[in-house]
Amino acid sequence: MASRPCRRVRPCRRCRSFPGRARWARDTRRMDHEGDDMTDTSRTVGVLGTGIMGSAMARNLVRAGHTVRVWNRTRAKAEPLAADGARVVDTAAEAVRDADVVLTMLYDGGTVLEVMREAASAARPGAVWVQSTTAGLESVGELAALAGEHGLVFYDAPVLGTKQPAEAGQLTVLAAGPAEGRDAVTPVFDAIGARTVWTGEDGAAASATRLKLVANSWVIAATTATGEALALAKALGVDPQGFFDLISGGPLDMGYLHAKAGLILGDRLLPPSFAVATAEKDARLIVQAGERHGARLDVAAASAERFARAAALGHADEDMAAAYFASFDDKASEGPGRA
């Protein structure tokens, strides 16, 4: 009978069957086939960034049986994860040291670059870097280059979804990176998401981030349209329910409209699923990407300005639906339910 090929992420002593990653052979934790648990998919994961998304992802990694170390610039935001079983550390370098997988979920590409420049030298050569922050296309190339300088295997892996799917482990992971290393990241993706969409084998090409920006452009446009429809209804004295009834069941109706409108009408903008300030950042990344590739994106540009105005009115940390308030000056910025 032919021997079954080894499926361990790190090559075992007998077959060393993990192609192109000889460094893994030096991992002192590897075992012989005898007594080896072929179903073991646990990883040591260093999570950098424990905001709305990062904290939810870290919790799901712990629940899936992974060893998780977490770091956040403001340690107090990471501390609650200790009760879930994560180890909270003081520096990014401590989080990535000897980790199998490093996961970055920070504010933007510039922040990731700054943090990883300080931490990457502590990472084990051959470790996988899963970069999930929504970053600009140019930033992804810079991050991939930094990974190469330190011998890290880079995966461009932004996620689609907000607070609730993140907490439920139901994110969609958009991923690009080398095929031969995917066994290393699959258990991580399975812990944080319900679905992984592979977009390519070169993380530096940012094909996953390109798809994420396209998807986010639709989310931002739909959010803007929802807020403006409700703002116009308020200005014209129209009951929003009349609008919902009018489009009910037709091609213009959609669940996202009702979800975001419900937050505005019910004054339930905290805690945010996706904050106004972060939505502004993403809208500007979308506009920049379009400009640099020959596409003028007027809705995204206008949405960025709406998010900025809403933030200036004090709504920066509220759900992105709070862009609704950008339709009014500061003296009239009451929700439609309080008009």
Side-chain angles (χ1 to χ4, degrees):
M1 179 182 296
S3 60
R4 183 172 57 179
C6 175
R7 295 186 180 180
R8 287 181 60 77
V9 174
R10 308 178 187 88
C12 68
R13 290 172 180 166
R14 179 176 295 178
C15 67
R16 300 183 183 275
S17 63
F18 191 84
R21 293 289 182 270
R23 291 188 186 97
W24 292 88
R26 296 194 294 270
D27 191 330
T28 58
R29 288 175 294 178
R30 70 183 186 269
M31 297 180 288
D32 289 318
H33 276 291
E34 291 78 15
D36 195 359
D37 180 1
M38 299 294 288
T39 63
D40 180 22
T41 57
S42 62
R43 305 283 181 268
T44 296
V45 185
V47 177
L48 306 184
T50 59
I52 293 173
M53 301 296 288
S55 60
M57 294 161 78
R59 284 190 179 95
N60 283 315
L61 287 166
V62 172
R63 289 169 188 158
H66 301 294
T67 299
V68 180
R69 295 194 293 264
V70 296
W71 171 86
N72 196 74
R73 213 164 241 169
T74 304
R75 183 182 171 112
K77 293 183 178 180
E79 288 290 359
L81 292 167
D84 295 289
R87 179 185 166 200
V88 182
V89 297
D90 292 321
T91 67
E94 288 180 79
V96 307
R97 186 170 290 114
D98 295 325
D100 301 314
V101 178
V102 175
L103 190 155
T104 47
M105 180 53 92
L106 296 159
Y107 179 70
D108 59 13
T111 304
V112 177
L113 189 61
E114 178 186 350
V115 169
M116 284 300 289
R117 276 176 174 161
E118 297 176 359
S121 60
R124 176 171 52 78
V128 169
W129 177 4
V130 172
Q131 204 308 99
S132 293
T133 306
T134 301
L137 300 181
E138 290 72 20
S139 290
V140 174
E142 291 178 320
L143 297 172
L146 179 64
E149 292 171 11
H150 293 274
L152 305 178
V153 185
F154 184 79
Y155 285 83
D156 175 33
V159 297
L160 193 62
T162 54
K163 183 172 184 273
Q164 288 78 13
E167 290 175 341
Q170 295 293 303
L171 295 168
T172 297
V173 181
L174 313 176
E180 65 268 23
R182 291 180 185 177
D183 283 347
V185 294
T186 294
V188 172
F189 292 163
D190 287 348
I192 65 175
R195 179 186 178 206
T196 299
V197 177
W198 287 99
T199 63
E201 295 191 13
D202 181 8
S207 60
T209 288
R210 291 168 191 264
L211 180 56
K212 173 66 187 294
L213 293 178
V214 171
N216 272 13
S217 72
W218 170 248
V219 171
I220 287 169
T223 302
T224 295
T226 298
E228 290 199 342
L230 292 181
L232 183 60
K234 176 182 178 179
L236 299 182
V238 173
D239 184 349
Q241 189 57 49
F243 166 58
F244 300 144
D245 291 342
L246 177 65
I247 65 173
S248 179
L252 298 179
D253 198 5
M254 63 178 183
Y256 189 83
L257 163 66
H258 294 284
K260 290 304 182 186
L263 297 182
I264 299 168
L265 294 169
D267 194 19
R268 294 182 283 109
L269 296 165
L270 288 171
S273 290
F274 194 74
V276 164
T278 308
E280 180 192 349
K281 181 265 296 185
D282 283 6
R284 297 198 188 283
L285 289 178
I286 290 163
V287 172
Q288 291 168 8
E291 288 176 345
R292 291 172 184 175
H293 291 80
R296 177 174 172 172
L297 305 175
D298 295 327
V299 173
S303 296
E305 296 308 315
R306 284 181 62 81
F307 290 130
R309 289 200 304 275
L313 290 170
H315 303 282
D317 296 327
E318 295 178 354
D319 190 87
M320 65 189 296
Y324 160 87
F325 295 103
S327 291
F328 308 98
D329 62 33
D330 57 348
K331 294 180 181 180
S333 57
E334 293 182 342
R338 293 172 286 169

